[in-house]
Amino acid sequence: MVDFGPHAQGSGLRHAVLGKLVEHLSLRKVRVLEVGSWTGESALYWANAIARFCPDKGYVVCVDKWEPYASQEDVIRPVYDTMDKMLRSGEALKLFEKNIQLGPPWVSISYFRASLPELVADGD
């Protein structure tokens, strides 16, 4: 069973739009770069849409530091406090790693623990 932890960040409308986008691109290889992956909800939606509309024609690459980012002003709000604690403890990354294992086996979901600028700079 998928566990996105508290404060899942997706919505039905958002996921419907992702699916329609992949369906529209189904004649091409769909390569998704997701920047900011939290616990893997959107990565799984991307992978499932690729599996549904373009089997064997795509993959998902996730980039996230899985480190705290909220300001002190934000952390006093319960939603950000919980997210901050999950990032500090490593729970968010552990959930992400567990959840992406539940995607379709023929759609690769890989990830880099870095910021996008760090990742791009490493390629120089």
Side-chain angles (χ1 to χ4, degrees):
M1 179 167 189
V2 178
D3 179 5
F4 297 113
H7 317 300
Q9 296 180 332
S11 70
L13 177 60
R14 176 177 163 200
H15 298 141
V17 170
L18 295 179
K20 283 294 184 189
L21 176 61
V22 172
E23 182 179 12
H24 176 72
L25 298 171
S26 65
L27 297 177
R28 300 183 206 140
K29 186 169 190 165
V30 177
R31 295 161 291 211
V32 175
L33 173 63
E34 179 178 73
V35 180
S37 298
W38 185 234
T39 58
E41 184 176 10
S42 292
L44 282 177
Y45 276 100
W46 282 116
N48 286 322
I50 290 168
R52 180 174 176 203
F53 296 112
C54 18
D56 301 321
K57 294 183 184 174
Y59 55 85
V60 180
V61 176
C62 302
V63 178
D64 199 317
K65 289 185 84 162
W66 286 281
E67 292 179 358
Y69 61 88
S71 69
Q72 290 302 314
E73 294 86 27
D74 286 335
V75 172
I76 63 170
R77 295 171 51 201
V79 65
Y80 290 114
D81 179 55
T82 302
M83 291 174 71
D84 189 71
K85 287 176 182 169
M86 288 178 68
L87 289 165
R88 288 184 190 284
S89 70
E91 183 182 355
L93 177 57
K94 286 178 190 170
L95 280 174
F96 171 83
E97 291 172 330
K98 176 182 163 191
N99 289 335
I100 64 169
Q101 298 303 312
L102 302 172
W106 59 90
V107 178
S108 170
I109 303 175
S110 58
Y111 68 96
F112 295 91
R113 190 171 182 185
S115 68
L116 187 58
E118 291 169 346
L119 188 63
V120 172
D122 285 346
D124 289 338

